[in-house]
Amino acid sequence: MNPRVPQEPPAVDWQDSIPVPFRLVAADAGVHLGTDRAGRAVTLPIGPEPRRVAVLGESLFGRLFGLRMLAVGARVTAATRVPDQWQSIARVAGDRLTVADGVSGWPARQPAPPTREGGPQVLVCDLRRPPSAALADGPWRTVLHVTRDAPRRSHLWSEPDALLALDARFAGTAGRLLGGGAARVTASLAPGEIALFRSSGSEILRPDVSPGETALLTPDLR
């Protein structure tokens, strides 16, 4: 039996062997908000780009958002008029959650990618006065303001990256901020639905809240 003579591999440039250009793209990742009317997941992209989020509704949504940001490795500061309602979250978050009565000095740590140094920095504010939109200038920063009465002179509210209306009763305010189309979408909300507006369009969703999240979002009355 004659030994097989090894053949030289063909000379091929790796770039020529790929039929289409090879490139990396950003994944569609973010914080889960809920599911739309077709059952598809709705996320709010969170990454190195600064995010300014305006929310028409109750402060409970701010706590839910803060909890989910903690779950993905961010450090959260709650500038709140109801600090007692953050107590359950504070017990499990440790030093990754700071509860304050104002936004002065935020962020206390330099924002950074997940798992590095300070990590992503998030400000959740339910105070009457909105935080400055400039606080979100720079990478790995997210600023959210939740209120039932949107301020008329606020850069954060005039040019948010995302605006959420948590109830049909906010249709008039949504219309003032974003126009008649937003008013109609908000007015169409059924109980428990949320309208999400961003540059790519609008979506209607229902928040998915797990039993574990519900337990942490329920004020501790002890």
Side-chain angles (χ1 to χ4, degrees), residues 131-154:
S132 169
L135 288 177
D137 290 347
W140 300 108
R141 299 181 184 217
T142 299
V143 175
L144 179 145
H145 184 231
V146 54
T147 180
R148 288 174 291 180
D149 186 16
R152 292 182 177 272
R153 296 181 181 179
S154 166

Side-chain angles (χ1 to χ4, degrees), residues 73-110:
R75 290 184 178 272
V76 175
T77 296
T80 179
R81 54 187 171 76
V82 285
D84 291 348
Q85 296 184 4
W86 286 84
Q87 286 183 357
S88 296
I89 300 175
R91 276 196 291 272
V92 299
D95 65 357
R96 292 173 53 225
L97 171 65
T98 300
V99 180
D101 60 2
V103 302
S104 178
W106 186 88
R109 293 180 171 87
Q110 181 65 30

Side-chain angles (χ1 to χ4, degrees), residues 4-201:
R4 179 174 295 177
V5 178
Q7 299 294 318
E8 288 291 330
V12 177
D13 189 313
W14 71 270
Q15 292 179 329
D16 297 333
S17 66
I18 300 176
V20 294
F22 178 76
R23 61 192 180 93
L24 296 175
V25 297
D28 183 17
V31 172
H32 180 70
L33 295 179
T35 53
D36 65 15
R37 288 173 172 174
R40 295 183 294 263
V42 178
T43 60
L44 184 66
I46 298 295
E49 298 83 8
R51 296 287 175 188
R52 301 171 178 88
V53 185
V55 183
L56 289 167
E58 304 298 329
S59 60
L60 173 61
F61 184 88
R63 297 196 299 279
L64 175 62
F65 184 82
L67 179 59
R68 291 185 175 176
M69 290 301 295
L70 286 165
V72 298
R75 290 184 178 272
V76 175
T77 296
T80 179
R81 54 187 171 76
V82 285
D84 291 348
Q85 296 184 4
W86 286 84
Q87 286 183 357
S88 296
I89 300 175
R91 276 196 291 272
V92 299
D95 65 357
R96 292 173 53 225
L97 171 65
T98 300
V99 180
D101 60 2
V103 302
S104 178
W106 186 88
R109 293 180 171 87
Q110 181 65 30
T115 74
R116 288 182 52 190
E117 301 172 0
Q121 300 289 316
V122 178
L123 175 65
V124 176
C125 177
D126 63 25
L127 302 175
R128 181 181 179 86
R129 183 177 181 180
S132 169
L135 288 177
D137 290 347
W140 300 108
R141 299 181 184 217
T142 299
V143 175
L144 179 145
H145 184 231
V146 54
T147 180
R148 288 174 291 180
D149 186 16
R152 292 182 177 272
R153 296 181 181 179
S154 166
H155 181 60
L156 187 149
W157 278 88
S158 63
E159 297 183 13
D161 297 299
L163 186 144
L164 295 97
L166 308 188
D167 193 276
R169 71 179 185 271
F170 297 113
T173 305
R176 170 171 64 82
L177 294 167
L178 300 177
R184 289 188 291 273
V185 169
T186 305
S188 74
L189 294 176
E193 289 185 329
I194 292 173
L196 168 64
F197 302 97
R198 41 192 169 183
S199 59
S200 58

